[in-house]
Amino acid sequence: MRIHFRFCLALLSAVAAAPAHASEAAEPFVASRDPAMRERSLECLAQAVYYEARGESDDGQRAVAQVVLNRVRHPAYPNSVCGVVYQGSGRSTGCQFSFTCDGSMNAGIEPYAWDRARRIADAALAGAVYRPVGLATNYHTTAINPYWAPSLVPQTVVSAHIFYRRPGGSGTADAFNQAPSEDEPDAAVPVRQASPRSGGRVVQAHYEIPLTEIPVLERPVRERTIGPRRAAASGSGRSVSRAAPSRAAPRAVIQGGVRVYRGS
């Protein structure tokens, strides 16, 4: 940690003491006039912005986009956006942008962050220039100190990235004389959309359950009269019901001047 801190201090001192030409700004980029080719350029540049600086500020993302476009116009690199972004991606090591060969694109993208990356990439292709980066062609995060850093000239620090330009004449504006190609290779790997989220809310799923009518069998109602208790059937161990005796109509009897009804 102490070594890294000293490295950052030395870098800031180097940036402050950089010569005047180190602050030269790039010319506005001119994208292909073919709508299909421009869309390919946009897709590749948006991928670089998204995977390299998704968590950065807008300026941090503009800086990454500017580096890609600076490379397109330098003869040391391919002359197309997709060619620059995917340079070396076919090798297990040596890819210029790590996300093209380390499996980062296997994960689904975050829709909001992807839209922001495309917006910044589109502005850069339309000619917007992020001047603080100047003619930088390389960068790395402030968390590392790569072996190639001492061979380049520090340009500036934006968000979590340190930017460098090429040394000597190859880092001046005259060296960026390569014309961008009108044809854009179909090199972009399609991005995967992430599963939609509920935004922290509980989403209740409603299922329609079909109603099934279940038939109910009605049993016949059996009536019985109150009479003598059932007697057990001889030798069967089971009780059987006897037929209730018929009841006679009630008789009226006069007793002590009172009418009394008696039944059977």
Side-chain angles (χ1 to χ4, degrees), residues 29 31-32 34-50 69 81-82 85 114-126 184 188:
F29 190 82
S32 175
D34 185 331
M37 295 300 104
R38 190 185 190 283
E39 180 60 29
R40 288 184 182 179
S41 299
L42 176 59
E43 183 73 9
C44 289
L45 187 57
Q47 289 178 4
V49 171
Y50 178 86
L69 299 186
V81 176
C82 291
V85 172
W114 174 250
D115 290 343
R116 184 167 73 112
R118 279 183 63 92
R119 173 173 53 83
I120 288 176
D122 185 61
L125 290 175
E184 191 71 68

Side-chain angles (χ1 to χ4, degrees), residues 166-224:
R166 299 172 68 88
S170 64
T172 62
D174 292 339
F176 290 79
N177 54 17
Q178 178 172 257
S181 174
E182 283 291 327
D183 295 324
E184 191 71 68
D186 189 12
V189 176
V191 295
R192 297 175 55 187
Q193 296 288 337
S195 301
R197 296 180 178 178
S198 61
R201 296 174 296 174
V202 177
V203 178
Q204 295 181 346
H206 298 275
Y207 301 94
E208 183 176 350
I209 301 177
L211 298 178
T212 303
E213 183 177 353
I214 302 176
V216 178
L217 299 178
E218 296 185 358
R219 296 182 178 180
V221 179
R222 300 178 63 182
E223 297 182 355
R224 67 180 182 180

Side-chain angles (χ1 to χ4, degrees), residues 40-84:
R40 288 184 182 179
S41 299
L42 176 59
E43 183 73 9
C44 289
L45 187 57
Q47 289 178 4
V49 171
Y50 178 86
Y51 289 104
E52 294 288 302
R54 179 172 68 254
E56 301 290 322
S57 64
D58 285 2
D59 282 347
Q61 294 194 354
R62 293 186 183 104
V64 169
Q66 189 64 58
V67 165
V68 173
L69 299 186
N70 286 350
R71 286 192 176 193
V72 173
R73 291 188 292 198
H74 197 285
Y77 303 97
N79 65 343
S80 66
V81 176
C82 291
V84 165

